[in-house]
Amino acid sequence: MPEERYITIVSERKTIALRVSTILYVLMNGKYANIHVLGDQVYRTTMTLGEIEEKIGDGFLRVHRGCLVAVMAIHNVTDTINLSNGESLGYTARKKGEIMKTLRNAQQDVIRGFQNHGVPMTDDEYHDYYRSFDQLPFAFTDIEMVFDEEKRAVDWIFRYGNPELARLEKLPSDRLIGNSFGSLFSNMDSKWLRSYERAVLYGEKLELIDYSPEIDTNLKVTCFPTFPGHCGCILFNISEIEFVSSR
């Protein structure tokens, strides 16, 4: 694993060490630089954008005069730069080609690093690894992301699923394991795909509460990275959860 890099800043009269991998973007506001990091936190500092750019090193792109964006935080580029956390930023139009090229190269580097180092190779090996999950009272699956030629996530493959997953998805385990979600459910909702992609590419841990039209169920899903190119998902049918007061 690469060594974590940090940048030291002074924000609100406190000296703070920020992990560079958590920085999404830096936006200038007058004489202040607002550093936006994972978890919806923002740190304000009087450092210039140039000083920050020099300290954080490679992996960031200046998309206009007052904005620096982490390449791996970019989900895609349309009329705006759309980030993995759902935010959108403006950019200088003449930089679009450079942004797109840098984004493709960075994502290709990450995905190339997904080679099967320590990843189970067969269904039996996945099951052996996750055997202790078989008896869990809630659904769990390990999924492998599928990327297209442009390195965009387009689907995922079920590599392991416990009996509760089969019950939730309303399909037998032998239909789920080894098959892609899109081949099983023609009405795949992209909101799940985008979140799983974020977990795989950026190492984020995310929670979603939303309706799944594929199985006509309201779900609570927690996703997190597992093997390279994979993420794990814990799923609950919200109608089966009993909410109680702490009083």
Side-chain angles (χ1 to χ4, degrees):
M1 294 293 289
E3 184 180 350
E4 284 284 5
R5 293 186 296 118
Y6 290 82
I7 177 176
T8 301
I9 66 168
V10 176
S11 179
E12 305 296 333
R13 299 182 180 179
K14 296 179 181 178
T15 300
I16 300 170
L18 291 180
R19 194 166 42 157
V20 172
S21 61
T22 67
I23 299 174
L24 298 173
Y25 63 96
V26 183
L27 192 63
M28 296 302 297
N29 182 12
K31 67 178 182 179
Y32 294 103
N34 292 315
I35 303 175
H36 295 249
V37 303
L38 291 173
D40 297 324
Q41 290 184 291
V42 182
Y43 295 94
R44 189 173 71 163
T45 179
T46 55
M47 294 172 66
T48 68
L49 198 63
E51 289 171 336
I52 295 173
E53 189 172 18
E54 183 178 350
K55 285 180 175 291
I56 59 180
D58 297 335
F60 289 79
L61 189 62
R62 194 181 287 225
V63 297
H64 63 71
R65 184 177 179 182
C67 186
L68 194 63
V69 181
V71 174
M72 292 311 299
I74 301 174
H75 172 61
N76 63 15
V77 181
T78 55
D79 292 338
T80 58
I81 293 175
N82 305 306
L83 303 184
S84 59
N85 68 344
E87 292 186 73
S88 297
L89 300 170
Y91 63 92
T92 301
R94 61 181 173 79
K95 284 183 170 283
K96 184 172 184 178
E98 178 188 355
I99 294 168
M100 294 295 292
K101 181 180 178 180
T102 304
L103 176 61
R104 282 194 297 269
N105 290 342
Q107 289 183 333
Q108 287 170 2
D109 287 344
V110 171
I111 294 167
R112 274 194 292 269
F114 290 164
Q115 304 307 314
N116 300 320
H117 300 305
V119 180
M121 299 302 293
T122 66
D123 291 347
D124 287 342
E125 287 183 8
Y126 277 105
H127 188 230
D128 286 344
Y129 185 86
Y130 285 115
R131 188 175 299 278
S132 62
F133 289 69
D134 287 351
Q135 304 305 317
L136 290 177
F138 50 81
F140 173 80
T141 181
D142 182 293
I143 61 175
E144 179 182 1
M145 300 306 297
V146 178
F147 297 90
D148 64 13
E149 293 181 355
E150 296 183 4
K151 308 305 178 187
R152 295 176 301 190
V154 293
D155 206 341
W156 67 84
I157 298 171
F158 292 100
R159 291 304 184 191
Y160 166 83
N162 65 2
E164 281 297 310
L165 178 76
R167 185 179 71 85
L168 182 66
E169 299 287 0
K170 303 173 185 176
L171 286 173
S173 293
D174 59 1
R175 284 282 309 280
L176 289 169
I177 304 307
N179 290 308
S180 71
F181 190 87
S183 70
L184 298 169
F185 302 96
S186 60
N187 57 339
M188 179 171 63
D189 194 323
S190 65
K191 64 175 175 283
W192 310 105
L193 185 65
R194 298 283 77 84
S195 296
Y196 301 157
E197 180 186 34
R198 286 171 57 183
V200 168
L201 289 180
Y202 315 120
E204 294 185 60
K205 302 175 182 67
L206 303 170
E207 186 169 87
L208 302 84
I209 298 177
D210 213 328
Y211 173 71
S212 171
E214 301 90 350
I215 56 175
D216 189 26
T217 304
N218 289 299
L219 294 177
K220 176 178 180 288
V221 180
T222 301
C223 60
F224 49 89
T226 53
F227 299 108
H230 292 234
C231 76
C233 301
I234 298 171
L235 306 92
F236 295 93
N237 180 340
I238 290 179
S239 67
E240 298 177 351
I241 299 175
E242 183 177 354
F243 295 92
V244 298
S245 172
S246 61
R247 295 181 179 179

